[in-house]
Amino acid sequence: QAGPLLQQALRLLERTGGDEDPGGLAMALHGLAAVYTREGRYPEALSHFERALEIWKRTSDNQGLARGLKNLAVVYGLTGRRAEAEALFLRALALAESSFEPTHPFMDEVLSAYATLLRRTGRKAEAKELEKRALNIREKHVPRDDQSTIDINALRPDKRR
């Protein structure tokens, strides 16, 4: 359902040339690209991510640029362009480290996505290091004693009192 709404928003923003709200235009492009990625429509996703990246470069929005680079890297990885994906992940990570706090949830996102690519390319030791960093960040945002976590073993009949 998000796709049609994002397409409509994109059309409205494009009518004005995006000059009044370039950030909004970039976000609409980025959101629609994410929808296309989930739907497996990779050529369309790539096109929209690339357009959003151009806007973020032009407006010096480093946080948007880091997000766009990470998501473009994911699509490159999904389409077999692993060397290009890795280069983009490295750029996204460098930008994220300079634009976000070290424990910002986006750091977890980029580290986890990059680790996934490394695992797919057989570089498990490197992936594991990134996953540890991501987990440390995640744990700062979700305490271990979070009550939304259920111990499945406690539900076993032989463990009930």
Side-chain angles (χ1 to χ4, degrees), residues 50-70:
E50 288 165 354
R51 285 182 60 200
L53 284 171
E54 287 305 314
I55 294 168
W56 283 321
K57 283 179 196 172
R58 200 172 59 244
T59 60
S60 300
D61 179 350
N62 286 339
Q63 289 187 355
L65 192 56
R67 291 178 191 282
L69 288 168
K70 187 269 296 182

Side-chain angles (χ1 to χ4, degrees), residues 9-59:
L10 183 57
R11 280 192 300 274
L12 291 171
L13 287 162
E14 286 176 328
R15 280 189 199 144
T16 66
D19 296 333
E20 290 179 30
D21 187 9
L25 178 58
M27 289 302 295
L29 287 162
H30 189 261
L32 195 52
V35 169
Y36 290 153
T37 300
R38 282 191 297 277
E39 293 175 350
R41 296 165 61 182
Y42 302 130
E44 292 159 289
L46 289 170
S47 170
H48 283 66
F49 278 137
E50 288 165 354
R51 285 182 60 200
L53 284 171
E54 287 305 314
I55 294 168
W56 283 321
K57 283 179 196 172
R58 200 172 59 244
T59 60

Side-chain angles (χ1 to χ4, degrees), residues 34-142:
V35 169
Y36 290 153
T37 300
R38 282 191 297 277
E39 293 175 350
R41 296 165 61 182
Y42 302 130
E44 292 159 289
L46 289 170
S47 170
H48 283 66
F49 278 137
E50 288 165 354
R51 285 182 60 200
L53 284 171
E54 287 305 314
I55 294 168
W56 283 321
K57 283 179 196 172
R58 200 172 59 244
T59 60
S60 300
D61 179 350
N62 286 339
Q63 289 187 355
L65 192 56
R67 291 178 191 282
L69 288 168
K70 187 269 296 182
N71 287 324
L72 185 59
V74 167
V75 177
Y76 278 178
L78 291 170
T79 58
R81 297 165 65 177
R82 293 183 172 153
E84 291 169 281
E86 182 166 12
L88 290 179
F89 274 127
L90 291 171
R91 285 179 55 202
L93 186 55
L95 261 176
E97 288 173 335
S98 68
S99 302
F100 293 93
E101 293 294 321
T103 60
H104 191 280
F106 179 70
M107 294 299 298
D108 169 27
E109 286 180 41
V110 72
L111 290 165
S112 296
Y114 185 24
T116 298
L117 177 75
L118 293 175
R119 278 201 180 279
R120 287 183 180 152
T121 59
R123 295 161 59 189
K124 292 182 172 122
E126 290 172 84
K128 195 170 195 162
E129 288 304 311
L130 294 179
E131 290 164 347
K132 283 181 191 175
R133 283 179 62 192
L135 180 60
N136 286 334
I137 293 166
R138 204 170 308 125
E139 285 177 342
K140 288 184 182 358
H141 295 280
V142 181

